[in-house]
Amino acid sequence: MSEAVSTDLDAVVVGAGFSGLYMLHRLRDTLGMSALVIETADDVGGTWYWNRYPGARCDSESYFYSFSDRLSEDLLEEWTWTERFAGQPEILRYLQTVAERFDLRRDIRFGTTVTAASWDEDAGRWQVDTDAGDRLTARFLITAVGCLSTTNLPEFPGRDSFRGPTFHTGLWPHEGVDFTGQRVAVIGTGATGVQLIPEVAEQAAHVTVFQRTPNYDIAGGNHPVTPEFDRRIKDEYRAIWARTRDTAFGFPYDVAERTALSVPEDERREIFEEAWAQGGFRLGTTFNDLLLDADANETAAEFLRSKIRERVDDPEVAEMLAPKDHPFFTKRPPLENGYYETYNRENVTLVDARRTPIEEITPTGVRTADGEYEVDAIVYATGFDAMTGTLFRLNITGRDGLGLADKWAGGPRTYLGIASRGFPNLFMLTGPQSPSVLSNMVVSIEQHVDWVADCLRHLREQGVEQIEPVAEAEDGWVAHHDEVTDATLLPRANSWWVGANIPGKHRSLYPYVGGVGVYRGICDDVAAKGYEGFALSGAGATAAV
Ligand code: FAD
Ligand code: NAP
């Protein structure tokens, strides 16, 4: 450890992406607390530090996939995005700018991984161990570890026997990869594969894509940002943020107040076409029952299938690409820019890895029931052990030796998706059972960070030492989460949202689908009632609710 860093802190924060950076700023600069961020990477950025694969960009429009006036009005005015959906290098530059502007790096320990965190009952502190051999102690432990930060590398037989280079998109080499003249296998066609495949196809001699489940990919509609658009957005920022905070998914789009089957078919098609032309997630806002009613959903699903059939020349390939086994938006729909046309290229082959599953990786390629596909390189675009994967790797142990992974063996149990009984003074930013990945995440990150900062201020003002959910509040939140989930079509897809991508993982919807605005209201109400549902204890505690 460097001499300057105290080992007894007010707070340890794990992770230096959007969440950790904003949390550090609030703790240190707003509350005047001592805080240290621990980060595995050697710089800030989180998702945007690790995911450097060709084509990586956001699917939330740049102007609202950035910090709001809560962080800095000046930065909002000064920063100008160049593209409607910014690419990875630009988002990383943005986060580096935030770190510089608020002088955050001096309280971030880079190149260091938290290996364990245990609650010390006698001291009333968290003990946080790192792979550098440090033991830090802190009153509060705040996880900012991200929902998509532990890669999923499937255990294909023979995986390590492959003689060529292999890459996971979530751990992409910083120096880039040159596929010129190579035969490349890409496994996975989620949002990542959909961004990467057209780029690799431009370069490689041949690309073989292994698709297990086709997705409803939506036209991305990316384009440069004009100075006029930039000015208009800056002039309207206050209204835009107000809207993002109040909508269901944290996007400043209004959902039309009509059901899909209430309008005639030709009119419905026109509505879909108009939303399609706008690009991005607008299609999801065309009717208010797409996530609730299977027949309504099918109208959007069929519209998207028809788009695939229009764009892919070979009808057999088009049918392989057309999803039929799950409703639209029950998996996060990838935004595509020329993805379907990629399958009209001579140098791209699509393999149906559902009909003929991958049986093994050989020293020279990928073998399915149909035979071996010889390749020079393999790209795993196989996603993440989302939401809980990274949290469990922190080896968090709470009161009486209770492990977080053990407590959640039957699925997450949280209060508001931010705290869990048995783990005093632990806050999980964008934790399971909060809106997190079912939203524009920056809006949810800001909401969580602000809520935690306000809570810590309250505890300090009241002289409270410890905060922890009470059993009834946690049970109530889990029941509410399940009830809201069951009213939607989301459990019907085998998505990472329900943990279905990881063999043996508990199946339940991990993010909260009750809506960003509704959720914010609930959290604000809890705070206004003196942190209702939490037991507050210690020197000056006034309430155990
Ligand atoms: P992260 O950015 O994941 O940062 C977490 C950090 O914690 C990482 O740097 C990691 O190294 C560190 N960490 C984890 N464990 C440890 C440990 N034990 N010790 C030390 N450090 C640790 N969301 C959207 O809303 N819109 C989008 O357009 C969008 N696009 C995305 C595109 C891609 C390719 C991916 C993968 C995700 C995307 N997301 C998007 C989700 C994205 O993860 C969030 O928007 C956001 O970047 C998360 O920020 P975070 O700080 O919470 O977590
Ligand atoms: P993903 O959505 O989980 O997709 C992983 C892909 O790998 C799927 O096609 C999956 O098939 C396949 N796969 C996994 N294991 C496999 C196996 N054993 N055999 C064959 N195929 C296998 O992961 P992702 O594409 O990295 O995206 C994750 C999330 O990150 C997105 O949903 C999104 O939230 C975010 N993201 C956003 C953007 C953006 O546009 N801004 C870009 C990238 C990522 P199945 O579907 O059958 O499981």
Side-chain angles (χ1 to χ4, degrees):
M1 306 228 29
S2 81
E3 294 296 319
V5 174
S6 162
T7 54
D8 188 38
L9 300 143
D10 289 323
V12 165
V13 179
V14 193
F18 271 101
S19 307
L21 292 177
Y22 185 44
M23 191 74 246
L24 174 60
H25 174 61
R26 279 269 170 266
L27 289 168
R28 196 190 67 187
D29 304 329
T30 312
L31 295 174
M33 295 174 93
S34 61
L36 182 69
V37 176
I38 307 292
E39 169 57 63
T40 300
D42 60 15
D43 198 6
V44 300
T47 289
W48 304 101
Y49 172 94
W50 297 108
N51 290 264
R52 296 170 189 242
Y53 60 85
R57 64 180 65 254
C58 54
D59 60 7
S60 313
E61 296 186 52
S62 317
Y63 74 86
F64 58 85
Y65 187 63
S66 30
F67 288 115
S68 76
D69 49 350
R70 297 284 311 157
L71 176 68
S72 161
E73 295 212 5
D74 291 347
L75 182 63
L76 272 178
E77 183 57 38
E78 287 162 30
W79 184 268
T80 298
W81 293 103
T82 64
E83 289 182 278
R84 182 181 180 200
F85 298 97
Q88 173 271 331
E90 190 173 9
I91 304 172
L92 183 58
R93 256 197 323 278
Y94 170 76
L95 289 169
Q96 289 168 338
T97 302
V98 169
E100 272 146 38
R101 192 181 183 103
F102 297 98
D103 193 16
L104 297 175
R105 284 195 180 95
R106 73 180 151 92
D107 287 310
I108 304 175
R109 169 61 58 95
F110 293 111
T112 308
T113 295
V114 170
T115 51
S118 314
W119 175 251
D120 179 343
E121 186 76 43
D122 295 335
R125 278 185 162 47
W126 282 96
Q127 291 183 344
V128 181
D129 296 336
T130 76
D131 63 351
D134 309 320
R135 170 160 289 186
L136 309 165
T137 57
R139 274 188 66 206
F140 298 101
L141 175 64
I142 304 176
T143 63
V145 292
C147 300
L148 296 159
S149 50
T150 292
T151 51
N152 168 38
L153 193 56
E155 301 270 352
F156 295 118
R159 194 187 65 200
D160 299 332
S161 70
F162 183 66
R163 285 202 289 264
T166 60
F167 307 95
H168 192 289
T169 50
L171 294 170
W172 202 257
H174 288 202
E175 62 280 13
V177 183
D178 184 1
F179 290 113
T180 307
Q182 295 197 10
R183 297 163 303 169
V184 183
V186 180
I187 302 175
T189 55
T192 297
V194 165
Q195 289 183 331
L196 167 122
I197 289 161
E199 305 278 333
V200 177
E202 289 282 336
Q203 205 180 50
H206 195 91
V207 181
T208 308
V209 178
F210 295 85
Q211 170 196 269
R212 190 166 65 179
T213 313
N215 272 308
Y216 297 97
D217 304 343
I218 306 181
N222 191 29
H223 54 68
V225 170
T226 62
E228 297 72 38
F229 181 79
D230 180 57
R231 187 66 262 152
R232 186 159 62 77
I233 291 297
K234 283 175 175 163
D235 290 343
E236 291 174 13
Y237 252 136
R238 278 175 194 281
I240 291 167
W241 294 129
R243 276 173 88 198
T244 59
R245 291 176 187 137
D246 202 34
T247 56
F249 297 108
F251 286 64
Y253 308 150
D254 292 324
V255 178
E257 289 192 12
R258 61 183 171 222
T259 59
L261 298 175
S262 67
V263 299
E265 194 179 338
D266 50 347
E267 199 182 313
R268 196 165 54 230
R269 172 100 199 172
E270 261 177 54
I271 291 168
F272 284 143
E273 288 285 2
E274 210 177 291
W276 174 266
Q278 289 182 56
F281 289 136
R282 297 263 178 192
L283 204 86
T285 67
T286 45
F287 299 100
N288 62 9
D289 57 348
L290 295 180
L291 273 186
L292 305 174
D293 180 289
D295 293 335
N297 188 288
E298 178 56 21
T299 64
E302 188 49 32
F303 172 79
L304 287 161
R305 287 182 211 118
S306 75
K307 285 287 174 200
I308 298 169
R309 292 173 188 130
E310 276 168 24
R311 292 168 62 192
V312 177
D313 296 343
D314 181 334
E316 261 183 52
V317 176
E319 280 319 303
M320 277 164 70
L321 288 164
K324 291 161 199 113
D325 72 343
H326 63 279
F328 166 59
F329 233 122
T330 53
K331 301 177 91 156
R332 189 168 175 119
L335 297 194
E336 55 86 22
N337 290 285
Y339 176 70
Y340 289 116
E341 284 76 9
T342 301
Y343 293 96
N344 298 334
R345 296 174 67 109
E346 290 290 314
N347 71 334
V348 177
T349 305
L350 181 64
V351 175
D352 184 342
R354 171 82 56 201
R355 196 179 58 78
T356 55
I358 297 173
E359 291 183 344
E360 66 169 328
I361 305 293
T362 69
T364 49
V366 181
R367 185 189 298 284
T368 71
D370 267 358
E372 183 177 355
Y373 297 84
E374 284 196 3
V375 294
D376 304 306
I378 301 177
V379 176
Y380 290 95
T382 43
F384 302 88
D385 183 356
M387 307 287 300
T388 52
T390 313
L391 279 175
F392 289 167
R393 280 158 65 138
L394 294 176
N395 294 311
I396 297 176
T397 307
R399 257 190 230 292
D400 305 321
L402 178 66
L404 188 70
D406 293 333
K407 177 175 172 185
W408 289 5
R413 297 197 64 77
T414 76
Y415 181 39
L416 305 174
I418 205 166
S420 190
R421 184 167 161 75
F423 302 87
N425 293 3
L426 168 70
F427 296 101
M428 296 169 288
L429 302 179
T430 70
Q433 299 175 343
S434 76
S436 61
V437 291
L438 271 176
S439 68
N440 159 28
M441 281 202 68
V442 184
V443 167
S444 292
I445 286 168
E446 281 194 347
Q447 186 255 336
H448 262 188
V449 170
D450 288 341
W451 191 90
V452 169
D454 289 347
C455 176
L456 295 185
R457 188 200 308 272
H458 175 84
L459 300 185
R460 184 167 65 189
E461 285 170 1
Q462 300 296 318
V464 172
E465 295 288 331
Q466 290 174 26
I467 179 166
E468 182 187 347
V470 299
E472 298 73 32
E474 183 165 293
D475 293 347
W477 185 253
V478 174
H480 167 68
H481 170 85
D482 291 347
E483 190 186 345
V484 175
T485 300
D486 290 344
T488 74
L489 302 174
L490 292 186
R492 296 197 189 184
N494 289 321
S495 70
W496 62 263
W497 283 344
V498 299
N501 62 329
I502 304 295
K505 187 165 176 171
H506 178 80
R507 186 175 178 126
S508 61
L509 185 70
Y510 284 75
Y512 173 69
V513 67
V516 163
V518 170
Y519 176 79
R520 175 184 297 272
I522 294 171
C523 291
D524 288 351
D525 197 42
V526 164
K529 291 179 175 155
Y531 295 90
E532 186 178 43
F534 287 96
L536 309 182
S537 58
T542 51
V545 189

